[in-house]
Amino acid sequence: MAGPCQTCGACCAAFRVDFSMHELQSEDGIVPDGLALPLTASLSRMRGTDHQPPRCAALCGQVGQQVACGIYEWRPNPCRELEAGSDGCNRARLRHGLPVLDE
């Protein structure tokens, strides 16, 4: 996580994170199997993101204060694709009472 993300983490506690099972280490990917749950024959989900409220099992720290991703280098593609200041980012920030960021 970089920039405003290290004091935010709202996206890690707002959305379900589904990704291809081919991203798992057991399938020659990089995402640790222990942090994922099978969803379908082709999809996995990050542990904790299907809870209510959602919170990724890899998220360390307190949302809106100081956070880190415990598997930053091994995170799945949906996490890599979400950008600070994007629509998804700002929706997550608003859910946690944080101000939106400029893109």
Side-chain angles (χ1 to χ4, degrees), residues 1-25:
M1 292 184 180
C5 299
Q6 291 178 316
T7 57
C8 182
C11 61
C12 304
F15 304 118
R16 289 186 187 123
V17 179
D18 297 345
F19 58 95
S20 169
M21 64 174 243
H22 297 293
E23 291 190 62
L24 294 171
Q25 287 177 341

